[in-house]
Amino acid sequence: MQPDRILIESLELSACIGVPDEERASAQRLTVNLVLEPVRGFTALGDAIENTVDYFRVCTEVKALSLARPRRLIETFAEDLATMLLDRFPLQS
């Protein structure tokens, strides 16, 4: 049986990212898709928002992280993103 998932598709971000300094000099648009696996399955939520992952807050924090500092590699941003999501939200992956 596949775990329950929350999908956030085509989230538009701004980020200063790229290897050359010129590429990081100004923000550019990134589009991300997130697949979140909550700790609790959907049937265990009891129709209570406090039992689930607030995906509006997820989007807000992902956008803030993308602007927090320049990065050279998209892989660095992906690692920062995964770490932040797992630290701040009730996610198993």
Side-chain angles (χ1 to χ4, degrees), residues 3-63:
D4 292 324
R5 293 186 173 135
I6 297 170
L7 305 176
I8 299 173
E9 297 179 330
S10 300
L11 180 62
E12 298 285 329
L13 310 174
S14 292
C16 295
I17 198 161
V19 174
D21 293 339
E22 303 81 39
E23 197 173 7
R24 288 188 316 279
S26 59
Q28 44 188 311
R29 189 180 78 195
L30 296 179
T31 304
V32 298
N33 296 314
L34 304 172
V35 179
L36 310 174
E37 292 184 9
V39 171
R40 293 182 178 179
F42 294 161
T43 58
L45 299 179
D47 200 33
I49 186 95
E50 62 273 6
N51 291 338
T52 192
V53 176
D54 181 343
Y55 44 87
F56 177 79
R57 194 173 134 230
V58 167
C59 293
T60 301
E61 293 198 27
V62 168
K63 288 177 181 181

Side-chain angles (χ1 to χ4, degrees), residues 8 11 13 30-36 57-66 69 71 73-89 91 93:
I8 299 173
L11 180 62
L13 310 174
L30 296 179
T31 304
V32 298
N33 296 314
L34 304 172
V35 179
L36 310 174
R57 194 173 134 230
V58 167
C59 293
T60 301
E61 293 198 27
V62 168
K63 288 177 181 181
L65 180 70
S66 70
R69 67 179 179 85
R71 295 170 183 87
L73 302 176
I74 196 79
E75 292 85 353
T76 303
F77 176 63
E79 181 65 29
D80 292 347
L81 179 58
T83 299
M84 182 273 293
L85 289 170
L86 292 170
D87 285 349
R88 295 186 189 174
F89 296 93
L91 298 169
S93 68

